[in-house]
Amino acid sequence: MPLISAETAPDQALQRGEQVAQVVQGILGYAQWPHAPQQLRLCIVAPTQYADILLASRAQESQRPVHSRRLLFEDPHLTHACEAVYIGILPDAARQHLLERLVGRPILTISESADSCGEGSLFCLYVTDESTSFKVNLDAVARSGLKIHPRVLQLGKRLREQP
């Protein structure tokens, strides 16, 4: 097994962050909101591993401008101040409460945890050293009122809630 030098670890973290930013920007670029905002408001909630680049100005290069900011998960403005919510690391109960607040609203949710799709997040990231992919919760997408381009849905691993 190769040893990871002190210089390699930050490079891998930066590469992962850039991959996550690309995937998130791609998802946002292929989503349509009922009210077609001129600028998307991406709210980043909870401690995150990969969201630093999303907060940086260079991550904002997309078809539609994206304004990113951090909010607390219990912030009452979250449900009307954000078109998209990027969810970091939260205890299970807090994450479930947050997703319950957002269900049925035209808010695109992306979770860093691949396990969150079963809880109601629309998209869930799966990050490895080699790549960043995502799962799609089709039931949550349908309930959100958002339109997601079929190509994005085909790229993601589909997750349907069990009856």
Side-chain angles (χ1 to χ4, degrees):
M1 175 161 60
L3 294 175
I4 297 177
S5 71
E7 293 177 11
T8 304
D11 289 344
Q12 285 181 337
L14 180 62
Q15 182 180 5
R16 286 181 183 174
E18 288 173 348
Q19 289 174 350
V20 166
Q22 271 188 322
V23 168
V24 170
Q25 289 291 344
I27 291 170
L28 295 176
Y30 285 100
Q32 284 187 301
W33 282 260
H35 58 279
Q38 292 290 324
Q39 179 182 45
L40 286 177
R41 297 170 297 172
L42 172 64
C43 297
I44 299 172
V45 175
T48 59
Q49 293 181 351
Y50 309 110
D52 291 346
I53 293 177
L54 291 170
L55 289 164
S57 59
R58 64 185 164 141
Q60 310 311 312
E61 301 167 7
S62 65
Q63 299 168 344
R64 182 185 308 132
V66 177
H67 172 71
S68 300
R69 67 179 178 158
R70 286 198 180 270
L71 285 180
L72 297 173
F73 80 92
E74 64 268 309
D75 191 314
H77 300 103
L78 193 65
T79 57
H80 61 273
C82 312
E83 281 80 37
V85 175
Y86 183 97
I87 304 167
I89 302 162
L90 282 172
D92 291 342
R95 186 175 53 249
Q96 289 173 348
H97 177 69
L98 172 63
L99 291 169
E100 287 171 6
R101 286 178 48 213
L102 301 177
V103 74
R105 296 180 183 271
I107 298 175
L108 191 148
T109 52
I110 301 172
S111 295
E112 275 192 348
S113 169
D115 299 332
S116 296
C117 273
E119 298 171 353
S121 189
L122 277 66
F123 294 90
C124 300
L125 301 178
Y126 183 73
V127 183
T128 66
D129 288 340
E130 295 79 34
S131 66
T132 299
S133 58
F134 57 91
K135 292 180 184 178
V136 179
N137 183 330
L138 296 175
D139 292 329
V141 169
R143 286 191 307 267
S144 72
L146 300 174
K147 293 182 182 176
I148 308 294
H149 194 282
R151 283 190 183 168
V152 174
L153 300 177
Q154 290 171 351
L155 287 175
K157 297 175 184 178
R158 290 178 183 84
L159 176 75
R160 291 188 187 270
E161 289 186 13
Q162 301 299 319

